[in-house]
Amino acid sequence: DAGERILVGQASLRQPMVVLGLQTPAWTQPNPAGLVLAMRFNLDAQAAGARLVFQYSETGYYVFEVFPGLMVLRRSAATSDLFFRGGEQILRQLSAPITANQWHSVTIWVDGSRIFVYLDRQLYINAEDLTQPQLSAGQVLLQTNSTTRPARFDDLVIRRAELPSSHFQGGELPTNWQYSDMGRVS
């Protein structure tokens, strides 16, 4: 809704940007259907990382972090410190086709303890976090880790996941199809 503008971040980890919403943003309220976060990003060739922090609360937080050629999904340490990456638990880390000075899209779907990360419409991360306590609703923040090399963000959308659909022929899945949770898919 910025009117054809992008957000350029050049800041240290200690200078996050908190994403605000309406008076009570939907992502700060528990939702049994889950949460979907989507955005586009563009990294400087020597970028020191761009981070999307989500479900941030006193209990902890998750972080999706990108660098040219690399993506990392993290969870906060037992003693949560948003400004110290070294203490964060790595849930998944992998090489990814993230090219500098090129726009990429990411979609993160959080479904209870499961987190799915799609980069440029391809599933790259399918993780399950069984660490206690489980994280639920919380704030969303953007972080960068360089005051000189920019990270660009655009088209940030945060919404509740939709409830399951029963719009299948006959109301049931064919026998050669599977689902992970009958309560969420029918």
Side-chain angles (χ1 to χ4, degrees):
D1 295 338
E4 301 303 320
R5 296 184 194 143
I6 63 171
L7 179 64
V8 179
Q10 285 183 236
S12 74
L13 288 177
R14 294 196 169 277
Q15 300 167 307
M17 188 189 83
V18 178
V19 178
L20 301 177
L22 301 174
Q23 194 168 20
T24 305
W27 55 88
T28 62
Q29 305 302 309
N31 178 19
L35 180 69
V36 177
L37 304 101
M39 70 175 184
R40 292 184 329 121
F41 64 91
N42 181 315
L43 302 175
D44 187 74
Q46 300 298 318
R51 294 166 45 105
L52 174 63
V53 180
F54 54 100
Q55 294 186 247
Y56 178 76
S57 69
E58 306 84 39
T59 310
Y61 58 88
Y62 290 112
V63 174
F64 175 70
E65 186 170 29
V66 291
F67 304 90
L70 180 69
M71 69 170 63
V72 186
L73 178 64
R74 301 171 182 261
R75 182 191 165 124
S76 60
T79 304
S80 183
D81 184 353
L82 184 63
F83 309 128
F84 179 62
R85 292 174 43 226
E88 295 169 345
Q89 172 189 357
I90 295 176
L91 298 176
R92 293 283 188 279
Q93 177 175 318
L94 60 137
S95 296
I98 299 171
T99 307
N101 298 314
Q102 180 177 327
W103 285 98
H104 296 278
S105 63
V106 64
T107 301
I108 301 168
W109 173 31
V110 182
D111 181 22
S113 63
R114 296 178 305 172
I115 302 172
F116 304 91
V117 179
Y118 297 83
L119 177 70
D120 296 328
R121 299 184 182 263
Q122 295 283 331
L123 178 64
Y124 276 84
I125 296 176
N126 177 355
E128 186 166 16
D129 178 21
L130 299 176
T131 307
Q132 294 296 325
Q134 289 287 302
L135 303 181
S136 62
Q139 291 183 305
V140 174
L141 301 93
L142 295 173
Q143 282 182 305
T144 61
N145 197 19
S146 175
T147 58
T148 58
R149 295 166 290 198
R152 296 162 190 86
F153 304 92
D154 199 8
D155 301 329
L156 178 63
V157 176
I158 307 165
R159 61 184 171 85
R160 292 176 179 234
E162 294 186 24
L163 293 172
S165 170
S166 61
H167 295 96
F168 298 103
Q169 185 176 5
E172 293 184 18
L173 291 176
T175 56
N176 56 338
W177 287 77
Q178 298 177 8
Y179 48 82
S180 61
D181 182 348
M182 186 59 173
R184 296 186 188 272
V185 179
S186 58

